[in-house]
Amino acid sequence: MHFENIIMRFVLFVTLCYIPISLSTAMELLSQEKNETNINLSLKNVPVTEALDALSKQTGYKFLYDESQLSSLSSISIQLKNSNLQEVFSQINKQVKLHFFKVDDTYTVVRSTEISTSKVQQGIKVTGTVSDNSGESLPGVSVVVRGTSVGTATDINGEYSITVPSDTSVLQFRFVGFQQQNIVVGNRRIIAVTLNDATTEIGEVVVVAFGAQKKESVIGSITTINPSELKIPSSNLTNSLAGNLAGVIAYQRSGEPGADNADFFVRGITTFGTNTNPLILIDGIELTTTDLARLQPDDIASFSVMKDATATALYGARGANGVILVTTKQGTFGPAKIFIRFENSISAPTRNVGLTDPVNYMKLANEAVLTRNPLGELPYSEEKIENTESGMDPLIYPANNWRDMLFKDYAMNQRVNLNVSGGGGVARYYVAGSFSKDNGILKVDGRNNFNNNINLKNYTLRANVNIDVTKTTELIVRLSGNFDDYNGPIYTGTQMYNMAVRANPVMFPAYYPVDEQHKFVNHILFGNHENEYRNPYAEMVKGYKDDSRSQML
């Protein structure tokens, strides 16, 4: 398809352009780390925050500030060449009054109206511990200076250390399951904090499948996985479930493209009948295993599995075998972000059945007859065995390795995903498109004018748009499309493999060369033996089938 060629060329162009830019940018950042001299700035009428960001990129220092304090300041202009850091600070202070407090590699920026001259210092270091009501230390507690991006977390002993801009700063202590505490620093330099249990949270009302329930009524076994853990070198998402989700049993019956969906059960099978699969909900819509298989990991925001009676309580009998809940990404406020991922992978059988050679095949066949009847008629004469072993005449004494004739060692597969997200104050958007091409390992005879190998192309489109109609009303538009184009042999890959390993390797050749008598024959002269045996090579190349699948939601 022309669409496929355009995508591949676009990805190659972006990849070639992107690599040198990324390397040069990285080298530039490394060379500028902690650079206090040779600063070059040319800024005209820009916000103070933008000037600080530009200064951070050149020097390697971090600048922490309360954006609400600096956003009201007038714009500034800076024209400096080969200057040092103090000259930059001086030019900024000529236009707006700021104070810069340095602690290690970080400058805290505060308006001069926010502090008195006596408090112009290199920041205030505060240490302490955090524990619960029983006196046990709490590791991992978030400690943040309110209104800033300055923060830290307690270590394994519940201890923390943080530098605050002034003694009027407020420290926020937050931890899951405990009530948040806000403490003013004041003249204290050591602050010990005790967090109280959030016992009232159990009475909260949460939104469930159909309405709202008390939180204690929906507590159950739910497993959530990070979408990044679902990225494997495969175009089928269901193949990544095995081993990644506790309580989920998944196995793959075939590796053939188009027939490689994994079967999976959530804590076994709890219903009778043909439908033993869990309920699959993607953005609240019930879909099939194939729809889940075609879902792109880059488009997933959250992936959860409900594994016990909770699912039945919320979704009825359809949730008896568990529920898989998938939510796709939505746009966020900010400039457009473009993400592209291109993969090229090699697929090969992990293990092959060992087959004996044609000569031993005949010897073992004779031995099998003699062990049952010492006077039985042998299927292969000593003359045939010896002439086959010496390779006298491959047409009269054929020795076929059917598996090597039908199958290649590996196949090349390609995948590409492109998504754009962003938004403003009224609308947010997430738009994505992807293409994947999976090939089989069947060989193609150049004498045919068609491709009998397995070739599966998949195209997916997704658009999630959120629009704020009013302050209390949001319009959500979600569109997804999934399109499959399949080309393959008349028989499945599994059937072709069974034919190859079960066919007689010494009865007839795969095909005969064209002689003078048959020079006007247009088709391949396949070998056979009185129509009693199947020629697997003829079955593979005698035709092909194609199929397509389209779905829009």
Side-chain angles (χ1 to χ4, degrees), residues 173-226:
F173 297 84
R174 291 176 292 188
F175 195 57
V176 177
F178 292 85
Q179 296 179 2
Q180 176 179 313
Q181 281 203 36
N182 299 330
I183 298 178
V184 180
V185 174
N187 58 0
R188 292 181 293 176
R189 300 299 176 261
I190 301 177
I191 301 177
V193 179
T194 300
L195 296 182
N196 298 319
D197 295 335
T199 56
T200 59
E201 286 189 1
I202 198 67
E204 293 179 1
V205 174
V206 296
V207 178
V208 294
F210 311 106
Q213 295 183 8
K214 291 287 185 179
K215 180 176 287 188
E216 65 267 26
S217 66
V218 298
I219 292 177
S221 179
I222 300 177
T223 297
T224 301
I225 186 172
N226 191 325

Side-chain angles (χ1 to χ4, degrees), residues 11 26 69 90 119 121 164 172 186 243 305 350 364 545 551-552:
V11 170
Q69 293 182 3
S90 176
K119 294 177 184 174
Q121 49 188 312
V164 301
Q172 293 181 332
V305 180
T350 56
L364 292 172
K545 65 179 179 182
Q551 177 175 278
M552 291 292 297

Side-chain angles (χ1 to χ4, degrees), residues 377-395:
E377 183 180 355
L378 299 181
Y380 303 104
S381 65
E382 288 298 327
E383 179 187 4
K384 181 176 178 63
I385 295 175
E386 291 176 1
N387 290 337
T388 302
E389 187 173 12
S390 63
M392 177 177 291
D393 190 336
L395 297 180

Side-chain angles (χ1 to χ4, degrees), residues 59-246:
T59 62
Y61 285 106
K62 297 179 182 178
F63 292 87
L64 301 179
Y65 50 82
D66 186 346
E67 191 169 353
S68 61
Q69 293 182 3
L70 304 188
S71 59
S72 60
L73 296 175
S74 59
S75 300
I76 63 174
S77 298
I78 302 176
Q79 297 293 331
L80 290 174
K81 189 173 182 181
N82 296 328
S83 303
N84 57 40
L85 199 57
Q86 294 305 319
E87 291 175 336
V88 177
F89 290 163
S90 176
Q91 189 165 130
I92 293 176
N93 276 318
K94 290 180 181 178
Q95 303 171 71
V96 292
K97 299 300 181 182
L98 299 175
H99 285 292
F100 297 86
F101 303 144
K102 181 182 179 183
V103 179
D104 297 330
D105 295 334
T106 303
Y107 279 92
T108 302
V109 185
V110 183
R111 292 179 60 178
S112 59
T113 55
E114 301 295 328
I115 58 175
S116 62
T117 306
S118 61
K119 294 177 184 174
V120 178
Q121 49 188 312
Q122 298 298 313
I124 301 173
K125 187 175 182 179
V126 179
T127 60
T129 60
V130 181
S131 59
D132 58 14
N133 291 327
S134 61
E136 293 291 333
S137 301
L138 292 177
V141 178
S142 173
V143 185
V144 181
V145 179
R146 188 172 66 183
T148 72
S149 57
V150 180
T152 186
T154 57
D155 59 19
I156 193 172
N157 298 317
E159 299 176 352
Y160 71 92
S161 176
I162 190 172
T163 302
V164 301
S166 66
D167 54 14
T168 60
S169 299
V170 178
L171 292 178
Q172 293 181 332
F173 297 84
R174 291 176 292 188
F175 195 57
V176 177
F178 292 85
Q179 296 179 2
Q180 176 179 313
Q181 281 203 36
N182 299 330
I183 298 178
V184 180
V185 174
N187 58 0
R188 292 181 293 176
R189 300 299 176 261
I190 301 177
I191 301 177
V193 179
T194 300
L195 296 182
N196 298 319
D197 295 335
T199 56
T200 59
E201 286 189 1
I202 198 67
E204 293 179 1
V205 174
V206 296
V207 178
V208 294
F210 311 106
Q213 295 183 8
K214 291 287 185 179
K215 180 176 287 188
E216 65 267 26
S217 66
V218 298
I219 292 177
S221 179
I222 300 177
T223 297
T224 301
I225 186 172
N226 191 325
S228 62
E229 298 179 21
L230 298 174
K231 293 182 180 180
I232 62 173
S234 172
S235 303
N236 194 314
L237 182 67
T238 62
N239 294 341
S240 64
L241 300 181
N244 281 328
L245 290 167

